Every structure is written in C-alpha cells, then in structure tokens.
Amino acid sequence: MTTLYEFAGGDEVLHRLEELFYTKVLDDPVLRSVFPTRQPSHVEHLTWFTAESFGGPNRFTTGPGFQYLIDVHRHLKITDEQRERFVALYLEAIDEAGLPDDDAFRAAVGEHLDFGARVAQQNSHAETDDQLHPIREVSAWTWPRQSEN
C-alpha cells in the first residue's frame, strides 16, 4: 500500500511544504486576519496534521489533538474568499516544495484541501457545538493507489 504520506516523500518533504505555505499565508493580505502573526509551533502542527491525514504517524492526534484544531478555528469567521485563497496558496506551495507532479496524487490532495478548508470554515462560524462539523478526529485521506500492490 502506498499512502499519500509515503508518495509525498514523508516528513521532510511535508515540513518543507508547510514552511513554504505558512510563509505565504502570513504575507497574504486576504489571510492576514486568519494568520496575524507567526506562531512558533504552527509549522510543526501543520506538518503533523498533514502527515497523519495522509496516512503517516498519528503525532497530531497524540499531541495537540483534534479539539485543539476546532478551538483555533472557532470564531475566525472564515470567508469564502479566505477559504479559496488558503487552498490556492497551498497548491502553490505544493509545486514549490517539489511534491510529486502526479495527476492522481494532486487530485487526492486537492480534494483533501477543499474538504478540510470547508470544515475549518464551518467551525469558524459555529456559535455552538451543535453547529460544528461532526468530524472530531483526523481523517485519513486515501487515494486509488492506496489499494494497489
């Protein structure tokens, strides 16, 4: 089985991706209110989350945990423009980080990004726990090649 994590290149590549991405969002005027200042652990947490959601180690779950993710998005009031810009900058960072230029891989990552950005947006507007997206754990994203071999 080849997970997205393995196909992407593992921790080193994902850390490079998240560093490039985080630099982009910090400099972006559309996302300034969502990412107002550099947080020392943000790249590490992003790397852990992406690795786990791509089928790698579960460091995000055993570390900060999914409730942390809910809490950091709460009350941000993410707009459609901000959600779309987040995804666009992430896709740019994927190219710059040198992740595989493979149609199936890119399609799976794009679906993952879109889904995750929509969950974050919903949670950012939730006034009550009932309005939160029902996901309460890191979802392992799969792709067609994961069932090969």
Side-chain angles (χ1 to χ4, degrees), residues 4 18 49-54 86-87 90 105-119 138-142:
L4 290 168
E18 300 303 355
F49 179 82
T50 302
E52 186 171 342
S53 65
F54 280 14
F86 177 96
V87 170
Y90 205 100
F105 174 77
R106 295 291 177 107
V109 171
E111 291 167 6
H112 173 267
L113 281 171
D114 185 60
F115 176 77
R118 290 179 187 281
V119 170
V138 178
S139 300
W141 209 258
T142 59

Side-chain angles (χ1 to χ4, degrees), residues 15-138:
H15 187 272
R16 183 172 59 243
L17 163 66
E18 300 303 355
E19 183 62 52
L20 288 165
F21 169 69
Y22 194 49
T23 299
K24 286 178 174 296
V25 298
L26 287 169
D27 291 339
D28 191 82
V30 173
L31 295 172
R32 189 163 289 128
S33 65
V34 179
F35 296 94
T37 60
R38 179 173 282 275
Q39 300 297 318
S41 61
H42 208 143
V43 170
E44 185 174 48
H45 289 167
L46 285 168
T47 303
W48 292 352
F49 179 82
T50 302
E52 186 171 342
S53 65
F54 280 14
N58 69 343
R59 289 175 301 226
F60 191 84
T61 293
T62 59
F66 204 80
Q67 185 60 49
Y68 168 82
L69 193 60
I70 291 170
D71 292 343
V72 298
H73 290 103
R74 255 344 236 278
H75 309 298
L76 289 177
K77 307 284 189 216
I78 297 169
T79 66
D80 287 341
E81 180 186 22
Q82 289 169 324
R83 177 181 46 78
E84 291 165 3
R85 186 70 179 145
F86 177 96
V87 170
L89 291 176
Y90 205 100
L91 293 172
E92 283 180 16
I94 285 172
D95 289 336
E96 291 172 19
L99 271 74
D101 186 15
D102 175 272
D103 290 342
F105 174 77
R106 295 291 177 107
V109 171
E111 291 167 6
H112 173 267
L113 281 171
D114 185 60
F115 176 77
R118 290 179 187 281
V119 170
Q121 184 180 28
Q122 179 176 337
N123 290 346
S124 79
H125 289 273
E127 296 296 330
T128 67
D129 287 353
D130 291 341
Q131 295 172 336
L132 290 168
H133 193 281
I135 288 182
R136 296 293 188 276
E137 61 186 23
V138 178

